[in-house]
Amino acid sequence: MQMLKVIALLLEYPEEELWEDREALCALVAEQAPALQSFADRWLGGNLLDRQSEWCETFDRGCATSLLLFEHVHGESRDRGQAMVDLMSQYEQAGLLLNCRELPDYLPLYLEYLSLQPQAAAQQGLQDVAPILALIGGRLRQRESVFSQLFDALLAWAGSPLRSSSVAGQVSKEPRDDTREALDAVWEEAQIKFIDDRAQGCGDTSPEKAHQQRFQQQPIPQYLDLSAGGPK
């Protein structure tokens, strides 16, 4: 399932190591996901610092386009914690060992896990989160982000009828959480918090990892009801 690994790499925060190997990644995209060649050429052809800034603007400016899957289902409820534990168990059974850098529901990590599964199981794993993928893709499409192409590619490969365009009506009614006003409201609320527990994970507070810290009080425009399915 090299295509899943390819999309996982394209969705990852652009690190220097990735940029050093971008020619090899472009070749892999041409082989495994030719429909995404134009995206890869444009994205990987840019300046690293510019791409890092663009990635943060796309995925870390608010929660609506977060790559943390369960954030779109459970928010900060206790159910999210149990879902994390269950997903980590699946990773361990597949021989995928995690460090402290990312949470288990981080989409590129989930794609890496699925890439280790037989094709039928991998497709089912994507179908389980298809409503989330369509919602994130729809929000990206509304914001005219080319990243929506990656979500449509995942949905198509999984055989899901959903696409980023499927949620256009729903997304158009949502409040934007990436505006200056919305972000200012988050920081005003954050002033009463003395310690951000989750931002202290593994003792990593370096600037290079700032993109991994989530806004704690940011409202998500809409949660999803995945009671009929989802990653267990």
Side-chain angles (χ1 to χ4, degrees):
M1 256 62 65
Q2 285 279 26
M3 177 182 173
L4 299 184
K5 290 187 70 69
V6 165
I7 295 180
L9 288 170
L10 293 175
L11 280 172
E12 271 281 12
Y13 177 79
E15 300 279 9
E16 186 173 351
E17 294 83 356
L18 177 65
W19 242 239
E20 291 175 352
D21 294 331
R22 55 184 170 175
E23 289 186 7
L25 180 54
C26 278
L28 192 59
V29 171
E31 177 185 345
Q32 299 293 329
L36 298 176
Q37 188 66 57
S38 61
F39 171 88
D41 290 343
R42 179 262 178 194
W43 178 247
L44 298 173
N47 174 270
L48 175 58
L49 291 178
D50 290 341
R51 291 296 182 251
Q52 288 175 336
S53 176
E54 185 176 344
W55 190 97
C56 290
E57 286 286 322
T58 302
F59 296 114
D60 262 1
R61 190 178 175 88
C63 295
T65 55
S66 169
L67 294 179
L68 299 175
L69 295 172
F70 294 141
E71 197 165 297
H72 300 280
V73 183
H74 303 300
E76 301 303 323
S77 71
R78 293 182 179 179
D79 291 339
R80 185 181 181 189
Q82 185 58 53
M84 295 279 203
V85 171
D86 294 343
L87 190 54
M88 285 189 67
S89 177
Q90 290 187 34
Y91 290 165
E92 291 171 358
Q93 292 174 19
L96 184 62
L97 301 179
L98 305 186
N99 56 31
C100 65
R101 177 174 174 176
E102 295 294 357
L103 294 173
D105 61 339
Y106 183 55
L107 178 56
L109 183 59
Y110 184 60
L111 294 177
E112 182 178 350
Y113 158 70
L114 292 181
S115 73
L116 302 175
Q117 306 305 304
Q119 180 169 333
Q123 288 177 317
Q124 183 59 56
L126 286 178
Q127 289 174 12
D128 288 344
V129 297
I132 304 176
L133 299 178
L135 186 61
I136 300 173
R139 289 167 175 165
L140 291 169
R141 185 181 184 191
Q142 183 197 43
R143 300 176 188 191
E144 300 182 345
S145 170
V146 292
F147 275 99
S148 64
Q149 298 174 29
L150 302 187
F151 289 83
D152 283 335
L154 289 172
L155 291 165
W157 187 85
S160 171
L162 295 174
R163 295 292 186 273
S164 60
S165 58
S166 302
V167 296
Q170 172 184 333
V171 168
S172 66
K173 300 175 183 177
E174 293 180 343
R176 291 281 292 262
D177 69 346
D178 62 335
T179 63
R180 182 181 299 275
E181 292 76 15
L183 296 173
D184 286 346
V186 170
W187 289 114
E188 288 176 6
E189 182 70 21
Q191 289 177 4
I192 66 172
K193 295 192 66 175
F194 298 101
I195 297 177
D196 181 347
D197 295 330
R198 286 175 302 169
Q200 306 300 321
C202 302
D204 186 2
T205 58
S206 62
E208 292 82 359
K209 306 308 177 188
H211 70 279
Q212 297 169 9
Q213 298 178 4
R214 311 302 306 159
F215 288 123
Q216 302 303 302
Q217 302 295 326
Q218 186 112 4
I220 299 176
Q222 179 163 337
Y223 294 134
L224 289 171
D225 180 3
L226 295 187
S227 57
K232 307 296 186 187

